[in-house]
Amino acid sequence: MIKKEDIVEIGKFQKTHALKGELNALLDIDGDYAADGNALVVAVDGIYVPFYAESVRPKGSESYLVKLSGVDSQEQAQQFVNKEIYGLRSNLVDYYDDPDLELKDDFVGYKVVDSSLGEIGEVVDVDDSTANVLFIVDTPSGDRVYVPVAEEFINAVDDSRRVIETTLPDGLVDLNN
């Protein structure tokens, strides 16, 4: 059984294409992921179900025409329209440009500890919507702090303890006050 923590959202099926079951899909990763036989996981009635691509054709820089095995008509394909596509976390690393890339969800739940300030709080999300990626950290007092994900501020990441050790500039934590 596939669990939520085993998957990462990689795209979305947009609409059906033609009559033989193809779907227009926007993918955040290279289409080779699906073409190489990796599972495209879709939530069906609250259960994560793996599907496999019979064919994948590029339709633009991020858009692909995907034909799923066993989906042979427009009516069958219709059930996938507007559904998120997930990839298995264990298969995704090879398809990102940076082989050292940590997937953003991997840091949720980590504690941020600063060399001067001590424990700042827990990472609740990662904002990667701009070039300046930020850890969104909830403090024990209920405040929210935005910590830049930058090499000059991060001293170490201890996966076994789930701790991110930082040395942040003076005043950064107080910017929201």
Side-chain angles (χ1 to χ4, degrees), residues 86-170:
Y86 300 92
L88 294 171
R89 183 180 298 276
S90 58
N91 296 343
L92 286 171
V93 176
D94 294 337
Y95 295 90
Y96 282 97
D97 293 335
D98 181 356
D100 297 325
L101 175 75
E102 293 276 356
L103 301 171
K104 79 176 209 167
D105 292 339
D106 288 348
F107 292 111
V108 172
Y110 275 56
K111 298 279 184 212
V112 176
V113 178
D114 188 73
S115 59
S116 298
L117 303 170
E119 184 177 325
I120 294 173
E122 182 176 317
V123 177
V124 295
D125 199 2
V126 178
D127 180 354
D128 63 354
S129 62
T130 67
N132 299 318
V133 178
L134 301 168
F135 288 131
I136 300 173
V137 179
D138 282 353
T139 67
S141 63
D143 293 328
R144 183 155 278 177
V145 176
Y146 298 88
V147 176
V149 179
E151 285 185 36
E152 61 265 25
F153 301 146
I154 298 174
N155 301 331
V157 175
D158 185 336
D159 291 318
S160 64
R161 292 182 22 235
R162 297 180 56 85
V163 171
I164 301 167
E165 298 172 8
T166 64
T167 301
L168 299 176
D170 290 337

